[in-house]
Amino acid sequence: MHYLTDIILIALGAALINNFVLYYFVGICPFIGVSRRIDMALGMGFAVTFVISIAALLSWTITTFILAPGAPVSKWVAGFFVSPEAAAQVDLTILSYVVYIFAIASSVQFVEMYVRKFYPSLYRSFGVFLPLITTNCAILFACLIIFSRIVGVDNPADAWDIGRALTLAAFGGVGFTIAITIMAGIREELELCDIPKPLRGAGITLIVASVLAMAFMGFTGVDSGLRKVLAPAAVESAQSAEK
Amino acid sequence: MPVAPTAAERFIQGILPENPVYRQLLGLCPTLAVTNGLKAAMTMAGAVAFVLFCANIVTSVIRHLLKPHLRIVIFTLIIATFVTITDRFLAAYMYDMSKTLGPYIPLIIVNCIIICRCEVCASRQSIVTAGADALGQAGGFGLALASIAAVREILGTGLLFGVQILPATWPNWVVMILPPGAFMTLGLLLGAVNWIELRRSERADKKRG
C-alpha cells in the first residue's frame, strides 16, 4: 500500500505538479521548436516518452550495479585486483555524466534503427524526431534525478527501485507530451491573431508558456493533500516523529 | 565565397550580433532555470564559459582526427569530461552554489550552444579562432543571463546581488522568481531585442533610400 502511494505521488509529481517543461525548464528547445502543429507535437511527445523510459531503465541499472559506491559489479571486478575491503569502497560516481550521455546517445541510435526496421509506420510518425532527442535535456535530467535518488540518499533502504525510477521517467515524458500538445493547440489558434511584429515566433510562445506555467502552479500542494488521503497513517507517524 | 571571419570578428559577433540566447535561441534551459538570482546566473555563465572554452580548444586540436559520423559523440564526450571537472570543482569550493544549481550543472552537457560551437566553428578552425569564438559566445551568453537575472531579481525581491535596490516598500513580485516569471521575462526581452533590431534595419533601409 505504501509502495503504491509512493508510485502514484511520483507519477503525479512528474506529470503535473513539477512538470518537466513548465517547472524544471528542461526540454525547452523542442517545446519552442516543434510546437507549431498538434500532430507533430504529439509525435515528439511520444518519442520523448519512449526514449526517456528506456534511458531511465538503463541509467537505473548502470547506477545500481556499476556506479554507486560498493555496487555489486564494480566490487566483483575490483575484487580481482585489490583486497575485498578496498573493493567494497570502489566509487565510480564521478564517471556518471560521461556514462549517462553515452548510454542515451547509443540507446537513441539503437531505438531509431529498431523502429525503422520493424515498425515503419511508427517510424514515419515520429522517427524524424529521434536523433534530435539525444540533445534533449529532459532525458539526461530524468537520469540525473534517478542518480540522486540512488546515490544521494543517506539510508540505503531509501534508494529508489526500478519501479519508481521507471514511473518518474515515463510520467515525466507524459507531462512533456501534455505541455507540448497544449502549447501546439494554442499556437494553432495564435496563427489567426495579429501579434506585434517583434514578438512573433519565440517571443509570444514564451509569454504563452508563462501563462501555462502559472496555470500549472495551481497543482502545487496536490501531492501533500493526496498523501493525507492515501496514507493518513504514514503522514501522522512522520509528523509525530518530527515532534 | 565570403571571407572567413577572423578571431577578433568572431569574438565580437558572439557577444551581440549572434548572441546565443537572443539571436540563436540556444541554451534556453539554463537561461530560464538559474536566472532567479544574479549570483547563480553568473556562476552558471562562468561554468558554461569554462566548458565552452576548453571543449572548443580540444575539439580544434583534434579536428584533423575527427571522423564525420562519430564527431557528435566525440564532442559530447569531451564536453561531459569538462562538465564533470566543473561540477567537482563547484562541489569542492562553492558547495552552497553547487546545491542551488543542482542538476543544471550536469545539464550543461546537452547545452546546444557548446555542441553548436564545436560543430560550426571549432571543428574547422585553428586554436586561436576557436578560442576567441568560445570567449565571444560565452560573453554573449553571460550578458543574456545577467540581463534576465537582473530583471527577475530586482522585480521579484527588490534586491540585486543581495543588496537592496528598490525601496523597502516595494511589493515583491514573487511570481518573477517563480517559473512563470522566467518565461515572461525572456519573452519580453526577446521582443525588445527584436524590436531594436527591426528599428535599426528600417533606419538603414531609409538611409539607403
Side-chain angles (χ1 to χ4, degrees):
Chain A
M1 183 61 205
H2 178 64
Y3 184 70
L4 198 64
T5 318
D6 236 26
I7 292 283
I8 294 173
L9 287 174
I10 291 172
L12 261 183
L16 294 176
I17 304 164
N18 297 339
N19 188 288
F20 272 27
V21 178
L22 298 171
Y23 184 84
Y24 286 121
F25 311 107
V26 290
I28 296 285
C29 302
F31 182 67
I32 291 172
V34 200
S35 61
R36 211 171 281 275
R37 291 203 339 256
I38 289 187
D39 51 342
M40 276 170 77
L42 265 180
M44 186 71 192
F46 286 142
V48 167
T49 312
F50 191 55
V51 174
I52 209 172
S53 310
I54 293 172
L57 278 179
L58 273 178
S59 69
W60 184 85
T61 317
I62 294 173
T63 315
T64 313
F65 293 111
I66 301 175
L67 293 177
V73 174
S74 48
K75 196 158 105 184
W76 177 69
V77 172
F80 291 114
F81 304 103
V82 290
S83 68
E85 296 83 46
Q89 287 176 350
V90 169
D91 182 356
L92 296 176
T93 46
I94 196 160
L95 289 176
S96 51
Y97 303 157
V98 178
V99 171
Y100 287 158
I101 196 70
F102 207 66
I104 293 170
S106 46
S107 66
V108 168
Q109 203 76 53
F110 272 115
V111 167
E112 195 200 349
M113 288 194 300
Y114 183 82
V115 172
R116 190 191 296 179
K117 176 99 175 116
F118 292 102
Y119 303 100
S121 61
L122 197 65
Y123 183 77
R124 271 195 296 276
S125 63
F126 74 65
V128 283
F129 300 118
L130 282 173
L132 286 178
I133 290 176
T134 315
T135 54
N136 185 333
C137 6
I139 317 280
L140 184 63
F141 183 72
C143 293
L144 289 168
I145 292 191
I146 293 167
F147 170 78
S148 69
R149 294 305 176 120
I150 295 174
V151 177
V153 291
D154 300 327
N155 179 1
D158 289 342
W160 273 15
D161 63 347
I162 193 152
R164 290 190 173 94
L166 198 57
T167 313
L168 173 96
F171 279 88
V174 169
F176 177 82
T177 313
I178 294 174
I180 196 172
T181 314
I182 295 177
M183 193 62 189
I186 297 174
R187 280 185 79 173
E188 279 189 356
E189 299 294 318
L190 273 181
E191 301 269 301
L192 307 171
C193 299
D194 185 22
I195 302 159
K197 216 172 175 187
L199 284 178
R200 270 177 212 172
I204 194 73
T205 311
L206 284 164
I207 292 171
V208 170
S210 152
V211 180
L212 266 185
M214 252 182 249
F216 270 73
M217 272 172 69
F219 288 111
T220 315
V222 170
D223 49 347
S224 57
L226 255 186
R227 193 183 289 275
K228 263 182 214 148
V229 174
L230 291 173
V235 173
E236 272 166 31
S237 67
Q239 275 171 354
S240 59
E242 269 173 29
K243 280 172 197 165
Chain B
M1 193 187 144
V3 185
T6 61
E9 276 169 11
R10 277 184 185 273
F11 176 74
I12 293 166
Q13 262 189 355
I15 290 187
L16 279 179
E18 282 185 24
N19 188 295
V21 174
Y22 289 129
R23 306 300 310 169
Q24 307 179 50
L25 292 177
L26 293 177
L28 294 182
C29 305
T31 310
L32 293 166
V34 300
T35 48
N36 47 9
L38 199 53
K39 203 169 162 221
M42 286 298 91
T43 317
M44 187 68 187
V48 169
F50 169 75
V51 175
L52 181 54
F53 185 70
C54 296
N56 251 10
I57 295 284
V58 173
T59 312
S60 178
V61 169
I62 63 166
R63 68 185 184 278
H64 298 300
L65 304 170
L66 288 173
K67 299 272 178 288
H69 55 286
L70 280 179
R71 64 180 196 288
I72 301 284
V73 178
I74 304 289
F75 295 160
T76 323
L77 286 181
I78 294 171
I79 297 166
T81 314
F82 285 112
V83 169
T84 309
I85 296 172
T86 317
D87 184 60
R88 294 292 91 200
F89 177 84
L90 283 180
Y93 293 100
M94 301 169 75
Y95 186 69
D96 293 335
M97 194 41 82
S98 111
K99 276 268 175 264
T100 320
L101 293 175
Y104 296 103
I105 289 288
L107 282 179
I108 297 176
I109 301 173
V110 283
N111 192 323
C112 342
I113 298 174
I114 304 177
I115 298 182
C116 173
R117 287 340 283 179
C118 285
E119 166 79 19
V120 172
C121 176
S123 61
R124 315 219 170 112
Q125 307 289 341
S126 67
I127 298 172
V128 179
T129 322
D133 182 74
L135 289 180
Q137 294 285 332
F141 183 68
L143 207 65
L145 278 192
S147 58
I148 299 165
V151 170
R152 287 183 69 192
E153 199 180 354
I154 292 176
L155 292 181
T157 60
L159 310 172
L160 190 63
F161 262 122
V163 180
Q164 191 84 30
I165 293 281
L166 293 174
T169 49
W170 175 255
N172 294 341
W173 297 1
V174 181
V175 74
M176 292 309 278
I177 49 172
L178 291 175
F183 285 113
M184 182 70 79
T185 314
L186 180 59
L188 291 177
L189 282 177
L190 200 63
V193 170
N194 284 344
W195 183 70
I196 294 170
E197 196 66 21
L198 275 174
R199 286 282 300 273
R200 270 179 55 188
S201 64
E202 267 170 23
R203 220 175 285 155
D205 281 351
K206 250 181 219 160
K207 220 177 255 174
R208 230 174 284 141

